[in-house]
Amino acid sequence: MEPLSDEELHRLLQKWQEPGAPPTLQTKVLGPQRSEPWWKWLIAGSIRIPAPVGLLTVLLVIGLALFGFRVKQPPPPGEVNLADFQPVKELKPRIIRSIYENN
């Protein structure tokens, strides 16, 4: 058998049809296709996580529930009397031109 010329090879390549992908390829790559809606997964779905990560998440949620969401009450306002205010005894204004300047 003689080798084919470039023109003959080019014509053969243009006629060639690649074989189709096997039907099981999509399920092997993407997994089985689900026919149920995505919102049902939100109700009954599950996510696999390592036990230490799950335990840490549970402890973090409990800690936030106990300590993080406490509403701090402001102190009750006391009586304000202007007689308690005192004037400044000595005023020394200081002009800061740069954060690197000491005096």
Side-chain angles (χ1 to χ4, degrees), residues 23-36:
T24 59
L25 180 65
Q26 184 173 4
T27 58
K28 286 181 181 177
V29 173
L30 300 176
Q33 296 296 320
R34 297 182 181 174
S35 60
E36 60 188 34

Side-chain angles (χ1 to χ4, degrees), residues 1-69:
M1 181 170 186
E2 295 182 26
L4 299 174
S5 68
D6 286 343
E7 292 175 14
E8 292 171 336
L9 282 174
H10 185 63
R11 273 187 268 130
L12 276 176
L13 282 174
Q14 286 182 346
K15 290 179 184 177
W16 181 71
Q17 295 290 324
E18 70 276 353
T24 59
L25 180 65
Q26 184 173 4
T27 58
K28 286 181 181 177
V29 173
L30 300 176
Q33 296 296 320
R34 297 182 181 174
S35 60
E36 60 188 34
W38 62 269
W39 54 269
K40 283 189 178 180
W41 179 84
L42 291 176
I43 297 170
S46 65
I47 299 173
R48 297 181 60 154
I49 58 170
V53 174
L55 183 62
L56 183 64
T57 304
V58 168
L59 291 176
L60 183 65
V61 168
I62 291 172
L64 283 175
L66 294 177
F67 301 110
F69 295 121

